[in-house]
Amino acid sequence: MRIAYGVMGYGRGHAMRSGAVLPSLMAEHEVTVFAGGDAYEVLAPKFPTVRIPIIGYAYNERGGHSLQRTLSRNFSPMADLLFGGAGSALVEREFRERGVELVISDSEAWTHRAAQKLKIPRISYDHVGIIAYCKPHFPPDLRLLGMRDAVGYRALMGIPERILISSFYPAEAAYPNTRIVGPMLRPEVLQVPPREGEFLLAYFNKGEHQFLPHIDRALRLLDLPVVVYGTPYRGQVENLDFRAPSNEGFIRDLASCRAVLSTAGNQLIGEAIHFGKPILALPEEAFEQRLNAFMIERMGVGMRGDRHRLTPSDIDRFMGNYDYYRSNMGDHAGDGRAEATETLHRYVAELGRQQANLVGLIGLGRRVRDVVRACEHRVFRRNVDDVSAELLVD
């Protein structure tokens, strides 16, 4: 089949999850990736990729989400998405020119909406679907926020024909044709053996905004080395080692660190649990990350922290429970890649057959219509001939 694969461009987790299944899909189908932002930078060197608009958060001087700046920055792309614009027209044109027959989307709104408009079947494959397409499992203090985000996500993305969710924690589906699988472990992750190191690995998905002076100070006051990814800084400063983005290097450091301090993205959490690394989660204000941090604590594999108030005492308390967190890792480690890949292939085959049957029915309907019209024409001509003959006799 000719497949469009949309990937949300904010952050790298969506691209990492998609990159784990794309090679298998491309071995059997003609796949074009549609992505912008961080996802485009990760995927374009490896796969045929069309750059598209993105929506994302804007930050204030305190490193938090700025509602005013977010609304201002996203006004034009949201208008494009909801009412049609250059980005929507680009995606629709690419779909038509490439003869796209199926869309798979990882939280990517433009491909979802273009598919809806062009009546192309869709598969949703992401983690955020656990909020929108599963039964509520929200903690009391986050329930209203979770319900709001679930309604908003369904309003933006709709209800796809098939739904696949990858998550480091389980959930119960609320919609038919929904499957929940474990975290996606990339082949590079599975190839690196874990070992217990003596340094803390710190990762920030938007470090230029999130790595604030009080976090820098809290990390420098620790009695252990800290390797830091995701910031604009480079080099060794006291006990901090600031490193440039590197997929292979980051995986090696994740496999050999003692513990992880990070924003609360699903992809990184699943990989950290695989390597047996406790997580001190500093979630962004987004509900999904706040829920992820809650689940880390509930599962006993780490602790929630506050990015805006982090202190050395918080990190010391987290490290003080290291053995407890480690003891719970085995109950939650897992790899959903094989199951996700098999499910995606099955979904593609099911929707492909439905498309073929639909095309067959449309073709049959057209043939029946043509036969009926031909019969009507012959009856009409016979009647005309009969009337003409009678007139001639008269």
Side-chain angles (χ1 to χ4, degrees):
M1 294 188 72
R2 291 182 292 275
I3 298 173
Y5 198 120
V7 185
M8 170 65 170
Y10 180 83
R12 300 170 68 90
H14 301 276
M16 297 302 177
R17 175 170 47 245
S18 301
V21 297
L22 276 168
S24 176
L25 285 172
M26 296 184 77
E28 298 186 19
H29 304 281
E30 183 181 332
V31 183
T32 303
V33 177
F34 289 75
D38 299 321
Y40 182 87
E41 302 304 325
V42 172
L43 297 172
K46 303 175 183 178
F47 309 104
T49 306
V50 176
R51 188 190 291 273
I52 60 174
I54 68 166
I55 51 178
Y57 295 107
Y59 294 81
N60 55 35
E61 292 76 10
R62 300 182 303 279
H65 292 172
S66 167
L67 178 60
Q68 180 179 353
R69 292 179 183 177
T70 297
L71 291 175
S72 175
R73 179 175 298 179
N74 290 302
F75 179 81
S76 292
M78 283 300 296
D80 182 304
L81 180 64
L82 296 176
F83 306 112
S88 297
L90 167 69
V91 175
E92 291 171 21
R93 183 173 64 252
E94 291 284 346
F95 279 16
R96 290 190 178 98
E97 290 178 355
R98 296 171 185 270
V100 169
E101 302 168 283
L102 175 69
V103 170
I104 302 173
S105 180
D106 189 323
S107 302
E108 202 296 300
W110 271 267
T111 48
H112 262 302
R113 295 184 76 85
Q116 285 178 292
K117 182 176 180 180
L118 299 176
K119 302 190 184 308
I120 300 171
R122 295 173 294 145
I123 299 172
S124 172
Y125 172 46
D126 57 26
H127 172 67
V128 188
I130 205 163
I131 297 169
Y133 305 124
C134 292
K135 294 184 178 178
H137 47 275
F138 311 142
D141 60 323
L142 297 178
R143 181 171 294 276
L144 290 179
L145 185 60
M147 300 302 290
R148 182 204 68 182
D149 280 16
V151 170
Y153 193 82
R154 289 193 297 269
L156 190 60
M157 307 295 187
I159 309 297
E161 284 77 7
R162 299 290 187 277
I163 299 167
L164 178 60
I165 298 166
S166 171
S167 174
F168 71 90
Y169 61 90
E172 184 180 355
Y175 287 82
N177 296 314
T178 300
R179 183 80 170 270
I180 298 98
V181 300
M184 295 298 296
L185 299 183
R186 295 168 285 161
E188 311 93 282
V189 169
L190 298 173
Q191 291 168 4
V192 179
R195 64 184 183 85
E196 190 171 349
E198 293 302 324
F199 66 91
L200 178 69
L201 177 64
Y203 171 75
F204 302 89
N205 64 340
K206 296 291 179 182
E208 67 271 25
H209 305 291
Q210 300 161 343
F211 191 75
L212 299 172
H214 71 278
I215 294 179
D216 179 89
R217 184 170 56 254
L219 294 177
R220 292 190 193 212
L221 290 173
L222 298 177
D223 293 327
L224 76 164
V226 183
V227 172
V228 185
Y229 281 91
T231 77
Y233 311 114
R234 302 290 180 266
Q236 188 86 31
V237 182
E238 298 180 17
N239 64 321
L240 306 187
D241 183 357
F242 294 96
R243 299 189 178 177
S246 168
N247 187 39
E248 295 77 12
F250 181 81
I251 292 172
R252 286 195 302 269
D253 288 334
L254 179 59
S256 59
C257 69
R258 184 167 179 81
V260 176
L261 178 149
S262 171
T263 44
N266 173 73
Q267 184 68 25
L268 176 56
I269 294 170
E271 293 178 355
I273 293 174
H274 164 73
F275 285 125
K277 309 300 179 180
I279 308 119
L280 173 53
L282 307 178
E284 295 192 73
E285 286 77 2
F287 171 75
E288 179 202 3
Q289 288 219 356
R290 294 173 67 182
L291 179 61
N292 289 346
F294 169 82
M295 294 304 299
I296 286 172
E297 207 163 65
R298 182 178 180 182
M299 293 159 62
V301 296
M303 183 181 103
R304 282 183 288 179
D306 188 335
R307 270 189 310 117
H308 303 288
R309 297 180 178 84
L310 184 70
T311 67
S313 297
D314 295 327
I315 304 174
D316 287 339
R317 180 159 54 91
F318 163 68
M319 296 302 294
N321 289 318
Y322 175 83
D323 291 335
Y324 168 72
Y325 299 141
R326 285 273 296 179
S327 69
N328 294 319
M329 290 288 176
D331 295 334
H332 304 288
D335 179 11
R337 187 164 63 99
E339 187 178 2
T341 302
E342 183 276 329
T343 302
L344 272 181
H345 280 289
R346 177 163 53 81
Y347 281 174
V348 169
E350 290 172 356
L351 293 174
R353 286 194 296 270
Q354 288 184 11
Q355 283 290 88
N357 291 338
L358 179 60
V359 170
L361 287 173
I362 292 174
L364 177 60
R366 287 172 177 168
R367 290 194 295 273
V368 170
R369 179 198 62 194
D370 293 342
V371 168
V372 169
R373 286 179 176 176
C375 291
E376 291 174 344
H377 179 71
R378 285 195 294 271
V379 170
F380 173 77
R381 289 305 311 167
R382 187 168 61 248
N383 290 340
V384 169
D385 292 342
D386 290 346
V387 171
S388 299
E390 291 177 6
L391 289 173
L392 288 173
V393 170
D394 291 341

